[in-house]
Amino acid sequence: MRIIAVMNQKGGVGKTTTSVNLAAGLALQGRRVCLIDLDPQAHASLHLGVDVSGGVHSIYQVFAGGKSFNEVVQLATENLWLAPADLDLAATEVELVDAPGREFVLKNALAQANVDGAYDYIVMDCPPSLGVLTVNALTAATEVFIPLQPHFFALQGLSKLFETTALVNRRLNRGLKVTGIVMCLYETGTRLAGDVTDDILHFLSHSDPQAPWASAQVFSNRIRRNIKLAEAPSHGQSIYEYAPVSAGAQDYQGLVKEVLQAEQQHMVHDRVAA
Ligand SMILES: Nc1ncnc2c1ncn2[C@@H]1O[C@H](COP(=O)(O)OP(=O)(O)OP(=O)(O)O)[C@@H](O)[C@H]1O
Ligand SMILES: [Mg+2]
């Protein structure tokens, strides 16, 4: 099972759009996927058409200790489960501030829920911050995907993100790796987009081979700016339901394909590790 944290502390770069359409795309390919919404804004839950205002159980209750992980998970569509978020989740940052083992709450909850046998993929949509929710995601994850919008300061933001993953790797989760950078809101044909991508590739190729991002790739499927991707959330649908022949659907299908291609490698790696 792969547990993917989709994270970037910068806001509005495509984390939620990528989490939802990656998870939904994998589910359409027959994989059993659980999407965990870790953002109090609950955008991923709303994107899947789950109304979080009506007293549904949310991942907040797992952090608060009232419910088990399996009690808050619900089936969204075929092969796709959701652990929804709600605004209460914002309190978690404060409530866990002095709690011992606060970084491990989600990891422990997933272990107790026996998720290994239940899902092929867990995808976690992180909030735009490096607080306790994101640290919980990184501690529970086997790998990190970073959505990135190509702009002038992208590389600086990326270094900060990499430092965080290195810290978590050292202190909390030895196996954590950054496996992929997803270029989002990509303006094809602009010089800036190409330059930023080249800078990132250069940075990665000159990294310390021991760093958790040493084997990171920039996914060759760039996610182009496409209005259908911005419209889909308000209809409570993934891009494949809302606009199946749009450029947005095509780009995310391409990303899903790349992720599936790496499956074989992961299986070999898991066998060797076991
Ligand atoms: N490729 C795209 N083309 C057009 N619009 C997009 C694309 N990707 C994302 N958007 C839109 O851009 C906005 C930000 O995207 P998204 O919510 O996925 O980012 P985020 O990183 O999750 O934001 P936050 O940090 O607030 O959680 C949303 O309105 C979304 O619909
Ligand atoms: Mg988001």
Side-chain angles (χ1 to χ4, degrees):
M1 186 184 51
R2 297 173 64 179
I3 308 182
I4 300 168
V6 180
M7 70 94 99
N8 190 331
Q9 78 277 16
K10 193 167 158 33
V13 292
K15 293 182 288 295
T16 301
T17 309
T18 299
S19 302
V20 168
N21 293 306
L22 172 63
L26 288 166
L28 277 174
Q29 294 301 316
R31 302 305 185 275
R32 292 164 66 86
V33 187
C34 183
L35 176 66
I36 307 179
D37 189 350
L38 286 175
D39 188 343
Q41 299 179 98
H43 286 166
S45 309
L46 296 167
H47 199 327
L48 285 180
V50 172
D51 179 8
V52 289
S53 61
V56 296
H57 296 324
S58 91
I59 193 76
Y60 167 69
Q61 290 156 307
V62 172
F63 284 101
K67 292 261 180 282
S68 71
F69 183 72
N70 287 333
E71 284 176 300
V72 308
V73 168
Q74 54 173 284
L75 185 65
T77 57
E78 195 181 353
N79 289 331
L80 180 58
W81 285 262
L82 170 74
D86 63 359
L87 203 53
D88 288 345
L89 191 57
T92 300
E93 298 283 349
V94 179
E95 287 170 4
L96 287 186
V97 78
D98 290 322
R102 62 186 174 277
E103 300 93 346
F104 293 93
V105 179
L106 184 60
K107 187 187 174 89
N108 292 340
L110 294 179
Q112 271 166 26
N114 243 326
V115 288
D116 219 351
Y119 309 110
D120 301 308
Y121 287 86
I122 290 181
V123 177
M124 297 179 283
D125 182 27
C126 293
S129 67
L130 295 174
V132 77
L133 292 166
T134 298
V135 172
N136 264 272
L138 294 178
T139 305
T142 54
E143 56 188 299
V144 180
F145 280 18
I146 301 176
L148 202 81
Q149 191 180 346
H151 66 96
F152 186 64
F153 296 110
L155 202 58
Q156 273 157 290
L158 195 62
S159 316
K160 167 100 180 112
L161 254 172
F162 282 162
E163 278 167 34
T164 308
T165 56
L167 195 73
V168 172
N169 179 284
R170 270 201 307 278
R171 302 228 176 119
L172 303 164
N173 182 2
R174 286 305 303 171
L176 185 68
K177 278 192 167 18
V178 180
T179 47
I181 295 169
V182 187
M183 299 305 265
C184 290
L185 291 145
Y186 199 83
E187 311 271 5
T188 358
T190 64
R191 177 120 181 253
L192 181 66
D195 284 355
V196 171
T197 311
D198 289 347
D199 284 353
I200 292 169
L201 290 170
H202 182 264
F203 178 88
L204 290 175
S205 65
H206 289 78
S207 295
D208 172 358
Q210 300 302 320
W213 57 87
S215 55
Q217 57 161 325
V218 176
F219 286 109
S220 50
N221 270 273
R222 322 270 194 249
I223 312 298
R224 288 165 286 177
R225 193 179 277 279
N226 179 243
I227 188 68
K228 297 290 182 202
L229 285 167
E231 290 169 0
S234 61
H235 297 264
Q237 292 177 325
S238 76
I239 193 64
Y240 317 109
E241 297 162 299
Y242 178 67
V245 293
S246 61
Q250 249 174 47
D251 291 348
Y252 275 110
Q253 267 155 354
L255 177 69
V256 166
K257 217 164 156 191
E258 279 187 78
V259 172
L260 289 175
Q261 274 161 4
E263 239 174 34
Q264 207 65 30
Q265 254 166 287
H266 278 266
M267 272 154 51
V268 172
H269 182 268
D270 288 351
R271 264 202 302 276
V272 172

